[in-house]
Amino acid sequence: MTIDEKLAELGIELPQAAAPVASYQPVVIHGGFAHVSGQLPFVEGDLIKGRLGDDVALEDGAGAARACGLMILAQLKAALGSLDKVERVVKLGAFVNSTADFTDQPKVANGASDLMFEVFGEAGRHSRSAVGVPVLPLGVAVEVDAIVAVKP
């Protein structure tokens, strides 16, 4: 089964890959790895904004992380031509806009991590960082970046 077939089976439609909001490349492929710049949580063209522990619920934060994961997949597909070229998801970095007393960043990051496993199976299991930060670009709730091994 191709990854596109797997996405269809899961009922997942990828968003259009977002253009960079500053001076960087969305994906850089080098040495057999695709380095995906931090992706923001777009849902139906709108950004999920706010702060965990303040005005964004844990479930909504996990949904925002999943939206970031979908954008990672969209960026990879745009850069590689096919998600079938993904050999393995190596690492995700999740940045969670959160208050000083919010400590469930790993649960928020699971939104992106679980998506990678759903789509790629065992090849979607990865290492990860989940970090709380006081602010993110454009006021978003979550930003996620990735390192992905690419098939030769």
Side-chain angles (χ1 to χ4, degrees):
M1 175 182 298
T2 68
I3 297 300
D4 282 342
E5 291 168 343
K6 180 69 173 182
L7 290 171
E9 179 182 281
L10 293 169
I12 295 173
E13 187 173 323
L14 295 181
Q16 181 173 344
V21 297
S23 182
Y24 62 88
Q25 291 294 117
V27 180
V28 172
I29 300 167
H30 183 75
F33 292 93
H35 298 262
V36 184
S37 297
Q39 298 299 307
L40 304 183
F42 285 94
V43 174
E44 297 179 8
D46 293 323
L47 288 168
I48 300 173
K49 296 184 177 187
R51 176 171 288 157
L52 279 289
D54 184 11
D55 58 351
V56 177
L58 177 62
E59 300 77 26
D60 295 330
R66 182 178 177 89
C68 292
L70 290 170
M71 189 58 71
I72 287 170
L73 296 178
Q75 294 290 5
L76 285 167
K77 186 171 183 178
L80 300 172
S82 170
L83 290 175
D84 293 314
K85 293 183 180 177
V86 170
E87 183 174 338
R88 180 180 186 105
V89 179
V90 176
K91 183 172 185 184
L92 296 183
F95 303 90
V96 181
N97 183 353
S98 53
T99 60
D101 61 346
F102 182 83
T103 58
D104 282 332
Q105 289 84 0
K107 291 179 182 175
V108 172
N110 283 346
S113 291
D114 293 346
L115 173 68
M116 297 303 157
F117 178 68
E118 286 175 45
V119 173
F120 297 109
E122 286 302 314
R125 293 203 190 277
H126 53 271
S127 64
R128 185 182 81 189
S129 299
V131 180
V133 296
V135 66
L136 285 169
L138 307 176
V140 297
V142 183
E143 178 177 352
V144 181
D145 64 11
I147 300 171
V148 176
V150 177
K151 293 176 184 174

